[in-house]
Amino acid sequence: MAESLTEQLTAVARRAAAAETTALLRQPCEPASREERDPGPLVLADRADGTVVRLGPVVAKAHAADSDLPELLARLRIAAHPRLRDILLPPLAVPGAGDRPPAPTRDGRPISLWPYGAPVQPDEPDAAPWEAAGELLARLHAVPTEVLPGPVPAMRGPVKAARAVARLAAAGRSPAADTVLAAWSLVPPWARGEVPPSHPGSGLLCHGDFHLGQLVGGPDGTGEWLLIDVDDLGVGDPAWDLARPAAWYATGLLAPEAWGRFLGSYQRAGGPVWPPGADPWARLDIPARSLTVQTAAVSLAKAAAAGRAPDEVETALVDACERIRRMPPREPS
């Protein structure tokens, strides 16, 4: 019987844990739990664009089958660069730095290896590290791309938004879907992934898919937060990294207090998206619209696949798309 994807990733993680070829696995850490002393595989995510299996201190990730391999390897090398230390979680194997990446899965999905870091607890919203997130993104945006191993790929956020809208369009017509698609038609081409951004302030290093699920505690046990998931990392408009929280705030899904903590931390850390005293929405408006449409498209496509009506949150997103449809965007200046 052929190995399942989970079994393949478990085998890769087990070999990495046993080899201990990286100093990250030898650093002191908190006392191990029973699961860490006697680890079994734990599936952290299982999607077509990313299947993630943890085995003790090691995480193995199978990336999307259609990943651009040279770009993915470039992103892994960037994540391991010294200028990203204490910003991005570094991979365990670094292609081009003496390490050979694991062989792909049987169906051709590239694999990467990472140290495990504890995620943000979703059931503790008041403890969400919004200040740390703002500071990390400000520091990421300040890294000069010319010092990084290149070529540095383009940030993939707008392209992912376009793919989400295409999936919704293929799922069939409905009044809610029509509202989302109408809002999307008003998003400028650069925010739909059709052309690179060329407005002032673009062309910086970006994460490309920031949300609180992209934060983990560092594996060294210091309690410092790090960014994870480099699949969309690259050069683009840094406002994109702030736009999902902005969209949640504008939709009423993020409390003003949390939004203020995030925005204030980003600005105090020298974030370059807007100058001191300027209106941040002059830069955030269009990316927030695009990500609102993306989130609505993903949600409605899932609801359609499950054969159910949109829930309260999904309806709020559709309502936000209706407001987007009625209000033309303003280009960043």
Side-chain angles (χ1 to χ4, degrees), residues 214-308:
Q214 307 289 33
L215 290 172
V216 298
D220 57 6
T222 62
E224 297 296 324
W225 294 98
L226 297 171
L227 293 166
I228 62 169
D229 190 357
V230 298
D231 290 68
D232 303 314
L233 183 79
V235 173
D237 184 350
W240 195 272
D241 287 343
L242 312 183
R244 184 174 275 113
W248 293 341
Y249 168 70
T251 309
L253 300 176
L254 179 64
E257 184 269 341
W259 170 242
R261 288 162 52 199
F262 174 67
L263 216 59
S265 175
Y266 181 83
Q267 190 164 30
R268 287 191 298 274
V273 169
W274 71 94
D279 177 13
W281 285 98
R283 290 293 311 280
L284 298 178
D285 180 58
I286 288 175
R289 289 169 183 255
S290 185
L291 279 161
T292 299
V293 174
Q294 176 186 350
T295 306
V298 170
S299 299
L300 291 183
K302 289 181 178 179
R308 61 171 177 80

Side-chain angles (χ1 to χ4, degrees), residues 46-101:
D46 189 8
R47 304 185 307 271
D49 64 344
T51 299
V52 183
V53 172
R54 177 192 177 190
L55 189 70
V58 174
V59 171
K61 177 175 183 177
H63 300 261
D66 62 352
S67 297
D68 184 307
L69 188 56
E71 288 191 357
L72 176 59
L73 296 180
R75 291 182 170 105
L76 294 175
R77 288 192 289 269
I78 291 170
H81 193 273
R83 289 299 296 264
L84 277 303
R85 185 178 295 120
D86 300 327
I87 300 175
L88 287 175
L89 184 72
L92 295 181
V94 186
D99 297 326
R100 296 183 61 183

Side-chain angles (χ1 to χ4, degrees), residues 5-316:
L5 178 58
T6 298
E7 290 170 334
Q8 294 175 59
L9 291 176
T10 300
V12 172
R14 179 169 286 117
R15 288 193 294 270
E20 292 188 346
T21 56
T22 172
L24 282 173
L25 294 180
R26 303 191 196 100
Q27 289 180 352
C29 59
E30 296 178 358
S33 65
R34 181 182 63 81
E35 290 80 5
E36 290 169 327
R37 292 192 301 268
D38 184 21
L42 178 63
V43 179
L44 303 180
D46 189 8
R47 304 185 307 271
D49 64 344
T51 299
V52 183
V53 172
R54 177 192 177 190
L55 189 70
V58 174
V59 171
K61 177 175 183 177
H63 300 261
D66 62 352
S67 297
D68 184 307
L69 188 56
E71 288 191 357
L72 176 59
L73 296 180
R75 291 182 170 105
L76 294 175
R77 288 192 289 269
I78 291 170
H81 193 273
R83 289 299 296 264
L84 277 303
R85 185 178 295 120
D86 300 327
I87 300 175
L88 287 175
L89 184 72
L92 295 181
V94 186
D99 297 326
R100 296 183 61 183
T105 64
R106 297 188 190 282
D107 57 354
R109 295 173 65 175
I111 296 176
S112 60
L113 290 167
W114 306 84
Y116 174 75
V120 175
Q121 295 302 313
D123 56 347
E124 299 179 9
D126 293 339
W130 286 111
E131 290 90 348
E135 180 182 348
L136 283 169
L137 290 173
R139 291 167 56 202
L140 177 72
H141 297 161
V143 174
T145 56
E146 60 269 17
V147 305
L148 300 175
V152 180
M155 185 265 287
R156 294 179 64 246
V159 172
K160 286 186 67 174
R163 290 183 177 182
V165 172
R167 287 195 296 270
L168 175 64
R173 296 286 297 275
S174 72
D178 288 348
T179 296
V180 173
L181 296 175
W184 180 250
S185 70
L186 299 176
V187 173
W190 73 265
R192 296 199 302 261
E194 297 172 3
V195 297
S198 58
H199 49 269
S202 57
L204 302 181
L205 186 65
C206 310
H207 182 275
D209 188 28
F210 173 74
H211 50 82
L212 285 180
Q214 307 289 33
L215 290 172
V216 298
D220 57 6
T222 62
E224 297 296 324
W225 294 98
L226 297 171
L227 293 166
I228 62 169
D229 190 357
V230 298
D231 290 68
D232 303 314
L233 183 79
V235 173
D237 184 350
W240 195 272
D241 287 343
L242 312 183
R244 184 174 275 113
W248 293 341
Y249 168 70
T251 309
L253 300 176
L254 179 64
E257 184 269 341
W259 170 242
R261 288 162 52 199
F262 174 67
L263 216 59
S265 175
Y266 181 83
Q267 190 164 30
R268 287 191 298 274
V273 169
W274 71 94
D279 177 13
W281 285 98
R283 290 293 311 280
L284 298 178
D285 180 58
I286 288 175
R289 289 169 183 255
S290 185
L291 279 161
T292 299
V293 174
Q294 176 186 350
T295 306
V298 170
S299 299
L300 291 183
K302 289 181 178 179
R308 61 171 177 80
D311 62 21
E312 183 179 356
V313 171
E314 292 159 351
T315 299

